Amino acid sequence: MERWKGMLYLFGAFMLAGTSVITAWLLNGKLAAFTITAISLLLALMILVPMRLQALVRTLRSRAGTNWRQLLLQAVFGMFLFRMFMLFGLSHTSAAEAGIITGATPAITVVLASLVLKERVNRFSLLGIASTVSGIILIQGLFLARLFLYRTALDRKCAGALRGF
């Protein structure tokens, strides 16, 4: 039961991650990347601290020195830099392409868990990685094919317009 509960939470997290890509894309031209990151993390803090203040105080008192280092690394890499790179990337690509790339996160997580945490990769994980990579190639290929078709149509229109001169 706990495993299903964990999977349900993770499914919700990835669904919300998809909405954050679209929201970030909408805000990207209006606010600077650092401003978007700072405001979103501040709002999260303002909402979460009142909800879990007692548990937060109890947890902060019980943590050892090594846990603080891990928490700092998680905050810098898992929250701050992730958001900054996503926002900078969105300024150079579409939200759809960013969503496709973000969709590779589970596959990257499996690979990193195998390399860093020495977790065993089973057949289902390998199948998931293959499915993710295949899906990205397929969708990116469709985007490339669409761009090729647009380019071909544009070339034909330009050639037709030049014949009139």
Side-chain angles (χ1 to χ4, degrees):
M1 180 66 179
E2 285 298 311
R3 183 169 184 244
W4 287 105
K5 190 176 176 182
M7 290 171 65
L8 185 63
Y9 283 135
L10 289 170
F11 180 74
F14 281 108
M15 285 188 58
L16 290 174
T19 62
S20 73
V21 169
I22 299 211
T23 305
W25 187 84
L26 290 170
L27 290 172
N28 209 11
K30 297 170 182 69
L31 297 170
F34 183 81
T35 304
I36 296 170
T37 301
I39 290 172
S40 64
L41 293 176
L42 179 64
L43 286 172
L45 190 65
M46 290 170 51
I47 292 168
L48 291 174
V49 167
M51 288 174 56
R52 301 294 298 169
L53 184 61
Q54 289 177 340
L56 176 65
V57 170
R58 193 171 42 250
T59 302
L60 290 175
R61 287 182 181 158
S62 68
R63 293 294 131 203
T66 59
N67 288 343
W68 285 106
R69 191 170 135 240
Q70 291 169 341
L71 283 171
L72 177 67
L73 289 172
Q74 169 62 23
V76 170
F77 290 104
M79 297 296 294
F80 180 73
L81 288 178
F82 168 77
R83 288 173 180 268
M84 293 300 291
F85 281 128
M86 182 180 69
L87 290 166
F88 287 137
L90 281 170
S91 66
H92 300 287
T93 189
S94 70
E97 286 182 307
I100 292 166
I101 293 168
T102 305
T105 302
I108 294 168
T109 303
V110 169
V111 171
L112 287 174
S114 173
L115 295 173
V116 176
L117 302 175
K118 306 297 184 219
E119 288 186 6
R120 289 187 57 210
V121 179
N122 59 31
R123 280 185 268 172
F124 292 114
S125 296
L126 289 173
L127 181 63
I129 292 170
S131 298
T132 299
V133 171
S134 299
I136 290 170
I137 291 170
L138 177 67
I139 292 173
Q140 286 297 92
L142 291 176
F143 278 124
L144 292 175
R146 192 176 302 149
L147 285 174
F148 176 75
L149 291 174
Y150 289 145
R151 170 91 192 266
T152 304
L154 183 63
D155 287 345
R156 287 182 185 154
K157 285 182 182 179
C158 290
L162 291 175
R163 279 189 212 129
F165 285 110

